[in-house]
Amino acid sequence: MSRDYVLKPFQSAVHLQIDYARELNEQQLQAVTAPPGPALVIAGAGSGKTRTLTYRVAYLLEQGIPPERILLLTFTNKAAGEMMRRVADLLGHELASLWGGTFHSIGNRVLRQHAPLLGFHRDFTILDRDDAKHLIATCVAESEIDVKATRFPKAEVLGDIFSLAVNTHRSLPEILGMEYEHFAALARQIEDVQQRYITRKRAANVMDFDDLLVLWLKLLQEQAEVREHYQRRFQFILVDEYQDTNKLQSDLIDLLAGRHHNVMVVGDDAQSIYAWRGANFLNILKFPERYPQAKVYRIETNYRSTPEILQVANAAIAANVNQFAKELAPVRQTGAKPVLVACNDASEQAAFIAQQMLQLREEGMELNRMAVLYRSHFHALELQLELTRRNIPFSITSGIRFFEQAHIKDATAYLKLVVNPRDELAFKRLAQMLPGVGGKGAEKLWRGFQENWPRTAAQANPLATALQACAGQVGRKTAAAWAQLVATMGQLEAKAVRRSAAKMLQLVIEAGYDDYLKVNFANYRSRLDELKQLAVFSQQFASVEDFLAQLALLTNVEAERDDPKGDDPEKVRLSTIHQAKGLEFDVVFVIMLCDGLFPSARSLESDDGGEEERRLFYVAVTRARNELYLSYPLLRAGYGSSGVALQQPSRFLAEIPKELIEEWNLRAYAG
């Protein structure tokens, strides 16, 4: 029988001789030395959250809690490694028996011991995303669904649907109705594929990433002896970034803490910005309801930003109704007021930012201490162009650079082929987007097209005519899609369209690429938005050729900038706010602060969406240490027209008292 431990002050198992009162501020100290029982630590931005958790572990060890009785859960391997390193530094040695890591790594560790109880062997393998996609595709194939007739989602999209369902504890029909309404009628077939996928995984003794949590929870729920073992073992549970947990993770924590209730969750409700990937904001908001005995500790002393920036941050989040009220308090000395800049358009905004960067650099500020943050990647298109023109080095924080994303390359392939019918890569990319056409089929079609092109070059619609001549080479499965491609190319070749990249991109979208997005990408809405904004961006170029040339140049410059072996380490950081969370910079520019862009138009359809966008703005503001610049364009070209529309400044700006911000007049600034 496992022995239960309680805190026994002055009976230390580990003598660390830490002067907690000297090492920590008063708020941190209260959280670190909290008595047993449930605790919610609201740790504001820049307040020393990691330090608090680290010292909490040390304190528990000093009070006689064996390290193997402590479970520390984090969200990333980097965070786990940093936390464990800091604990080791405090102790003066490694602590191998302390269970610390990501939710998934701990789940893997538990399942390795108990897999047979779930119908798996202990030597199960974990599928990566690509392997999971292939296995789902196999399940679709064996289900004999006519994927063409029903416009069935691709395997990668199905994987995202399955993942969202299990992580939010919602049924597939619910998820389809809420997030994928265009597939709602296919709920029965999709559920069938999911069941086949589950059966095949068990038969092959494999688990995907989500299974590490799903099956861990299933194990604890169904196996009373195993549940009791871990409930006794983990006497103290510490959870980092609790505001980012989903329903599945929250249920795991509550179940593990079911015996001792010694669970301390640390997070900041004001920085909960991941609802789109399943994070449940209510987990942190309703923690005191689930644990009525919980003590709430607020850590509000901010060590990062100047008082002026914190005043803006506090004002930025104040309008949110659903939150734990907090007031970030500064430690640092006074600094410059944040600046608000209204620009004529996106190009002028980009020119201002570039010029201000150069000015700051002239004053001794290195470029790598500056960052430009935005709601979506397409908000920075004009800025990338401007920085390239001025030879200001930059790096982009993203998995794939904007112009190298699949949907951007797909759409521009249409334009490339119209401009240059000899572009083999563009032709084959378009061909392989069609049902039933693979690499060999694309090569065969390319050879046929090459034979026909010289004979049709002088005709009114030479490209469409040459493609039509190849119709006999496509199979029955491809015939309808090929006919659509021929028709689309004929429309793109028309003089009225051919002169405008924006009109061409709009036609590509409306001729069926939007349907292709729905089937092939889980985040099709954001990809569609990006394509529409690419069309808006293209309006500034004199010709389609010029637009495509600039895209190519930007892509190559980005690749050069992102090269870790590059010679120039001094680069401005361009990043979405989501990807900048947890980072900090001396100077931060937050751009495109217009209603409909930030906050996004879609978010304003619900109160919850509006509040999450406001939290996102708060995260952006609190990344700044010394200087903060907020900007927006007064005019912006609209999608589907050559005119421009007057932009409304973001409603978030109106919520900041005018006396907290210095407004710059660009004409005066330029003078």
Side-chain angles (χ1 to χ4, degrees):
M1 183 73 67
S2 301
R3 175 187 166 196
D4 292 343
Y5 289 81
V6 295
L7 285 177
K8 299 177 180 178
F10 313 116
Q11 297 182 18
S12 304
V14 179
H15 300 282
L16 300 177
Q17 298 181 328
I18 296 172
D19 187 343
Y20 292 95
R22 185 173 64 84
E23 298 281 340
L24 305 167
N25 66 38
E26 183 57 36
Q27 293 176 330
Q28 292 170 337
L29 181 64
Q30 288 183 19
V32 165
T33 59
L40 169 61
V41 181
I42 303 296
S47 64
K49 169 180 64 69
T50 302
R51 185 178 186 82
T52 301
L53 271 174
T54 303
Y55 276 81
R56 175 63 173 173
V57 173
Y59 181 77
L60 291 175
L61 295 171
E62 277 202 324
Q63 302 309 305
I65 305 302
E68 64 271 15
R69 301 281 173 172
I70 301 171
L71 175 63
L72 175 61
L73 290 166
T74 66
F75 266 85
T76 66
N77 290 317
K78 182 180 178 182
E82 173 69 7
M83 209 85 72
M84 298 296 277
R85 183 190 64 76
R86 290 199 190 188
V87 170
D89 287 346
L90 276 179
L91 296 176
H93 60 83
E94 297 290 335
L95 203 62
S97 55
L98 172 67
W99 280 49
T102 65
F103 280 86
H104 293 88
S105 67
I106 299 298
N108 174 59
R109 189 170 175 179
V110 170
L111 290 171
R112 291 291 171 192
Q113 297 300 314
H114 307 285
L117 295 174
L118 296 166
F120 289 83
H121 299 284
R122 289 191 177 91
D123 60 351
F124 64 84
T125 52
I126 301 171
L127 298 172
D128 62 23
R129 189 174 176 85
D130 197 50
D131 290 336
K133 181 179 74 173
H134 286 304
L135 187 56
I136 293 171
T138 301
C139 295
V140 172
E142 74 177 14
S143 69
E144 298 183 350
I145 294 169
D146 187 343
V147 295
K148 183 189 169 194
T150 57
R151 205 184 65 182
F152 205 71
K154 289 293 177 66
E156 192 167 355
V157 178
L158 287 170
D160 285 327
I161 293 172
F162 299 161
S163 181
L164 191 58
V166 299
N167 280 289
T168 58
H169 276 195
R170 289 190 173 125
S171 68
L172 271 179
E174 273 186 282
I175 292 297
L176 293 173
M178 292 170 58
E179 302 292 336
Y180 301 87
E181 63 276 4
H182 46 286
F183 294 135
L186 301 172
R188 186 182 59 77
Q189 293 99 313
I190 292 174
E191 284 182 306
D192 175 63
V193 172
Q194 185 186 40
Q195 287 306 310
R196 291 174 185 272
Y197 179 52
I198 291 169
T199 301
R200 273 186 166 272
K201 283 188 292 183
R202 185 174 284 109
N205 196 38
V206 298
M207 297 183 190
D208 63 23
F209 208 53
D210 290 322
D211 288 331
L212 298 178
L213 302 189
V214 172
L215 295 177
W216 180 14
L217 181 61
K218 180 181 172 69
L219 178 74
L220 296 179
Q221 289 173 331
E222 296 180 355
Q223 303 294 329
E225 192 174 328
V226 175
R227 178 172 66 248
E228 184 177 346
H229 168 75
Y230 285 105
Q231 285 178 338
R232 285 181 176 278
R233 173 168 195 144
F234 297 131
Q235 188 183 350
F236 285 86
I237 300 171
L238 308 175
V239 187
D240 188 21
E241 302 285 12
Y242 187 68
Q243 78 279 350
D244 294 334
T245 54
N246 58 38
K247 184 67 169 65
L248 176 55
Q249 291 160 332
S250 174
D251 286 354
L252 271 167
I253 295 162
D254 291 348
L255 200 52
L256 287 169
R259 178 179 178 84
H260 298 294
H261 306 290
N262 294 330
V263 56
M264 176 178 280
V265 298
V266 182
D268 183 4
D269 58 293
Q271 296 187 68
S272 179
I273 59 174
Y274 294 113
W276 52 276
R277 68 182 190 197
N280 191 335
F281 174 68
L282 295 178
N283 288 347
I284 190 167
L285 204 64
K286 299 201 171 204
F287 185 86
E289 293 179 23
R290 298 204 315 281
Y291 293 88
Q293 305 304 314
K295 294 185 181 298
V296 180
Y297 300 89
R298 286 179 169 80
I299 304 177
E300 300 170 315
T301 303
N302 177 283
Y303 294 90
R304 176 185 299 156
S305 306
T306 61
E308 289 76 10
I309 291 172
L310 293 185
Q311 284 181 313
V312 170
N314 289 329
I317 198 65
N320 267 11
V321 175
N322 299 305
Q323 65 167 315
F324 292 104
K326 67 182 73 65
E327 189 85 7
L328 293 178
V331 168
R332 296 185 54 198
Q333 296 298 308
T334 188
K337 271 188 179 182
V339 173
L340 176 61
V341 183
C343 307
N344 184 51
D345 55 22
S347 294
E348 187 174 78
Q349 179 181 241
F352 158 70
I353 292 170
Q355 185 60 40
Q356 186 63 11
M357 287 174 175
L358 293 175
Q359 179 67 34
L360 290 167
R361 190 173 187 274
E362 191 70 23
E363 295 169 5
M365 175 75 66
E366 293 181 355
L367 291 175
N368 56 11
R369 291 157 64 187
M370 307 178 201
V372 182
L373 305 182
Y374 36 81
R375 174 67 181 81
S376 301
H377 279 301
F378 66 79
H379 292 177
L381 295 183
E382 290 86 358
L383 180 60
Q384 291 179 46
L385 197 61
E386 185 67 22
L387 294 178
T388 302
R389 285 171 179 160
R390 294 189 184 225
N391 199 29
I392 298 175
F394 61 90
S395 64
I396 299 177
T397 303
S398 63
I400 302 175
R401 292 182 290 275
F402 181 85
F403 297 113
E404 293 182 356
Q405 295 179 97
H407 60 297
I408 302 296
K409 296 184 77 171
D410 287 347
T412 54
Y414 285 89
L415 278 63
K416 288 179 178 179
L417 191 60
V418 171
V419 167
N420 176 19
R422 296 172 182 80
D423 190 331
E424 179 180 354
L425 293 178
F427 179 95
K428 288 182 175 177
R429 185 176 192 94
L430 295 174
Q432 289 185 81
M433 287 163 56
L434 305 178
V437 179
K440 289 183 179 178
E443 174 62 32
K444 179 183 175 184
L445 287 167
W446 170 245
R447 288 198 302 269
F449 174 76
Q450 282 183 303
E451 291 172 6
N452 287 295
W453 167 249
R455 292 196 293 271
T456 65
Q459 298 185 22
N461 292 318
L463 190 54
T465 305
L467 290 170
Q468 179 59 42
C470 300
Q473 296 178 251
V474 301
R476 210 161 34 119
K477 187 192 278 189
T478 314
W482 186 263
Q484 177 62 59
L485 177 63
V486 172
T488 300
M489 284 301 177
Q491 292 173 299
L492 291 173
E493 286 183 291
K495 286 184 179 179
V497 177
R498 170 67 175 78
R499 287 194 292 263
S500 166
K503 288 181 179 178
M504 292 181 79
L505 286 168
Q506 183 182 353
L507 195 150
V508 167
I509 293 168
E510 294 172 357
Y513 190 72
D514 54 343
D515 289 331
Y516 181 86
L517 284 175
K518 290 176 183 178
V519 172
N520 287 277
F521 301 106
N523 60 340
Y524 87 93
R525 291 187 185 91
S526 63
R527 290 179 186 256
L528 184 58
D529 285 344
E530 289 180 348
L531 284 175
K532 290 179 177 179
Q533 292 305 318
L534 183 67
V536 171
F537 173 69
S538 72
Q539 292 180 23
Q540 66 187 283
F541 299 98
S543 67
V544 179
E545 288 82 355
D546 189 23
F547 167 65
L548 291 174
Q550 288 299 326
L551 251 60
L553 290 172
L554 277 173
T555 302
N556 287 326
V557 167
E558 287 178 32
E560 197 176 287
R561 300 295 184 218
D562 287 351
D563 181 5
K565 298 177 182 178
D567 296 329
D568 191 353
E570 191 188 351
K571 304 172 189 173
V572 172
R573 178 80 67 93
L574 308 187
S575 176
T576 63
I577 301 162
H578 284 103
Q579 290 164 326
K581 186 174 175 290
L583 304 178
E584 57 184 60
F585 305 90
D586 285 350
V587 179
V588 168
F589 299 85
V590 186
I591 66 172
M592 289 296 181
L593 282 161
C594 307
D595 265 9
L597 293 177
F598 192 5
S600 70
R602 192 172 295 113
S603 71
L604 298 177
E605 295 171 4
S606 69
D607 290 340
D608 288 346
E611 292 215 343
E612 174 136 339
E613 290 286 292
R614 190 175 284 107
R615 294 194 293 269
L616 193 61
F617 180 52
Y618 174 81
V619 168
V621 169
T622 54
R623 299 310 94 199
R625 285 193 287 252
N626 302 333
E627 297 185 39
L628 174 66
Y629 298 86
L630 309 173
S631 64
Y632 64 93
L634 292 166
L635 300 171
R636 187 153 173 83
Y639 172 71
S641 71
S642 56
V644 293
L646 186 64
Q647 297 290 304
Q648 288 297 317
S650 172
R651 61 195 63 195
F652 301 152
L653 297 175
E655 294 167 356
I656 302 171
K658 288 188 176 181
E659 63 270 18
L660 300 183
I661 289 187
E662 182 178 343
E663 294 191 42
W664 280 10
N665 181 305
L666 275 190
R667 288 189 180 87
Y669 169 79

